Amino acid sequence: VQDSIDDPAHFTLSNISSTLTELELARKTGVPFWYISSAEVYGPSSNPVAKGASFNPSNPYAGSKAACEMLAISYANTYKFPLHIVNTMHLFGEDDVARKFIPATVAKLLAGEPAVVYGFSTRHWLYIEDFCDRLVYELHRGNQLKVGGVHRHHLIGKQMSCAELGLRIAQVLGKPYTSVNSNYHLNPGHTAHYSTVSDMPYSNEDLMRGLTKTVEAIACTTQRHGRNHEGDNTQHLGRA
């Protein structure tokens, strides 16, 4: 998100041009086109947003995703190939970059410092392997349809505040948990709450299984290579 705010023109052009290249391939071959989008196209909401809701993007990242969705829909309607749009949010896993919320929190807690959270803002969190497993299922089922039109899939994880997720990270690490509040979500282009209806069940147990694997792997890497949290990465915490 922050990259799109810092350099919106480059970010948007990159998203749209790459999607256009892929759509051209679908136009020429007629194969089903699957576009991985974001639930952020719907904008901030405290109540779960259903499929078919109007777009209300709150930053250039979400706006570029919404634009790509509309471009894909226009191609599918014109050239009659099947289109599947997948909306998701906050995928996480063992290879997350250090500036994201989970790795940054692991680094802080291992160093005996407070985690940095932004109030009680909420996001949906989904482990990358669970997302891929469900996507394979949807791909198999969707491609069997062999019909045109636009099909939308909401693959959304467990809704949880950053504060609560930080506490769970501390529990996995066996470390005491303290936190300091950042009001970064109040900055332009950022928002406190997202909520979207999901097509897939995702329980607390599912989340903790993925979170445990992720935190243990990141902690191992951090300790082995001496990776630290140099600098204040608050501006990047919780990025999608």
Side-chain angles (χ1 to χ4, degrees):
V1 170
Q2 189 61 43
D3 290 344
S4 77
I5 294 172
D6 294 339
D7 192 355
H10 174 76
F11 189 95
T12 301
L13 287 172
S14 177
N15 250 358
I16 292 177
S17 62
S18 60
T19 302
L20 185 60
T21 298
E22 295 161 356
L23 284 169
E24 276 294 286
L25 180 61
R27 176 179 71 85
K28 294 172 182 177
T29 62
V31 298
F33 186 82
W34 289 74
Y35 180 66
I36 309 300
S37 186
S38 170
E40 289 196 31
V41 297
Y42 299 119
S45 177
S46 297
N47 299 313
V49 176
K51 293 179 184 178
S54 300
F55 290 163
N56 184 31
S58 57
N59 53 64
Y61 164 77
S64 71
K65 286 292 190 181
C68 289
E69 285 196 26
M70 297 308 294
L71 185 60
I73 291 170
S74 74
Y75 262 66
N77 287 338
T78 302
Y79 303 110
K80 308 305 179 185
F81 58 77
L83 170 64
H84 297 264
I85 297 173
V86 179
N87 297 96
T88 189
M89 179 182 292
H90 273 72
L91 304 177
F92 68 88
E94 293 88 338
D95 293 324
D96 270 358
V97 295
R99 65 187 181 184
K100 287 194 173 182
F101 179 76
I102 294 175
T105 300
V106 169
K108 289 282 190 182
L109 296 177
L110 287 177
E113 299 181 12
V116 179
V117 300
Y118 42 99
F120 286 90
S121 57
T122 58
R123 297 291 186 270
H124 290 270
W125 304 88
L126 179 58
Y127 182 50
I128 185 63
E129 289 187 7
D130 294 330
F131 170 76
C132 291
D133 287 344
R134 181 69 186 205
L135 182 60
V136 168
Y137 168 78
E138 296 289 344
L139 282 166
H140 179 71
R141 187 177 67 167
N143 288 340
Q144 280 185 327
L145 295 175
K146 296 182 179 178
V147 295
V150 179
H151 312 274
R152 188 174 293 274
H153 312 261
H154 280 188
L155 305 189
I156 310 295
K158 182 68 178 177
Q159 189 174 25
M160 185 173 293
S161 70
C162 292
E164 183 177 352
L165 189 68
L167 175 60
R168 296 190 181 211
I169 293 170
Q171 291 171 346
V172 173
L173 292 172
K175 298 288 185 179
Y177 179 69
T178 58
S179 65
V180 294
N181 183 36
S182 164
N183 289 320
Y184 191 68
H185 64 285
L186 301 178
N187 290 350
H190 295 267
T191 189
H193 301 290
Y194 289 102
S195 184
T196 310
V197 171
S198 182
D199 293 336
M200 60 180 290
Y202 204 68
S203 65
N204 277 315
E205 291 74 19
D206 294 327
L207 174 68
M208 284 307 300
R209 183 181 65 252
L211 184 65
T212 298
K213 292 171 66 175
T214 298
V215 169
E216 288 178 346
I218 292 173
C220 181
T221 301
T222 300
Q223 293 168 329
R224 182 181 303 160
H225 298 289
R227 184 183 300 168
N228 56 46
H229 54 277
E230 292 179 0
D232 182 3
N233 288 326
T234 302
Q235 66 270 28
H236 298 294
L237 296 183
R239 286 179 41 179

